Amino acid sequence: MKKILETLKETEQWIEKSVLIGCSDEHVPQFALDLGENVEETVRREVAEEVGLEVESLWYSASQHWPFPSSCLMIACHALVRAQQAEISMNSLELEEARWFGLEEIVEGLKREPRSSKQDDGSFLPWFPPKQAIAHRLICEWVKRQTSQPA
C-alpha cells in the first residue's frame, strides 16, 4: 500500500507540472457552445467528452477569429483538472491524439518548426501550432506560468 501511495504522489506531482495537449486532423475549432451554455460550461463539457477529465477550475485567456469554413470566434481558456483523475480517456471521433507533456518537452517543442518530426526510434516529436495560432499562445502562457513560479 505504501508503494501505491508513493507512486500516486509522484504521479500527482508530475501531473501538476504537466500540460494536456490534444489535436484533431481537421485543424478546425472543435468546441461548440450548446444552446443556453456559457463558456465555462462548454469547456467543462468538451473536456469531459474529448478526454474524459473533470475540470476543477478554468480561466479565460484570449479570443481569435476563425474565418473558415464559416466565420466563428475561438475562445481560449486554461483549465485545471484533478491530479487524481489524470488518466486520459480519449474520444477518437473527436481527437487524433491527446497526451500529457512535461515542461521540458514543451520548451523543446516550441524551438522546432511547427510540424511533426520523426525520431530515430520511429516515434514522433509533438507538433505545436504556429505562433499566430491561439493554441500557441495558450502553450506559451502555460510555460511562462511554470517557469515564473518558485520551485
Side-chain angles (χ1 to χ4, degrees), residues 64-146:
Q64 179 180 1
H65 178 251
W66 186 263
F68 13 73
S70 61
S71 185
C72 61
L73 179 69
M74 292 190 299
I75 299 173
C77 295
H78 292 275
L80 294 177
V81 298
R82 293 181 18 197
Q84 300 88 337
Q85 298 177 336
E87 186 175 333
I88 300 167
S89 176
M90 189 186 77
N91 179 343
S92 59
L93 297 175
E94 299 269 349
L95 295 175
E96 184 179 352
E97 185 178 355
R99 76 175 185 90
W100 292 103
F101 291 88
L103 180 59
E104 262 185 43
E105 289 177 285
I106 298 296
V107 170
E108 286 303 311
L110 289 171
K111 293 176 185 175
R112 289 192 309 276
E113 292 296 314
R115 57 183 159 74
S116 290
S117 26
K118 194 172 183 178
Q119 298 187 66
D120 293 337
D121 65 1
S123 65
F124 285 88
L125 296 169
W127 177 87
F128 291 97
K131 290 180 178 163
Q132 66 271 21
I134 200 167
H136 186 93
R137 176 183 173 148
L138 282 172
I139 293 167
C140 289
E141 288 173 351
W142 179 82
V143 167
K144 186 176 181 180
R145 273 196 328 278
Q146 297 301 308

Side-chain angles (χ1 to χ4, degrees), residues 54-70:
E54 184 181 335
V55 171
E56 194 171 83
S57 64
L58 63 110
W59 59 98
Y60 171 84
S61 170
S63 63
Q64 179 180 1
H65 178 251
W66 186 263
F68 13 73
S70 61

Side-chain angles (χ1 to χ4, degrees), residues 28-54:
V28 295
Q30 297 295 310
F31 290 4
L33 276 74
D34 283 347
L35 186 60
E37 264 186 339
N38 62 36
V39 172
E40 293 82 0
E41 292 166 332
T42 301
V43 171
R44 291 176 195 283
R45 176 182 52 78
E46 289 285 350
V47 169
E49 288 176 5
E50 294 193 3
V51 291
L53 298 173
E54 184 181 335

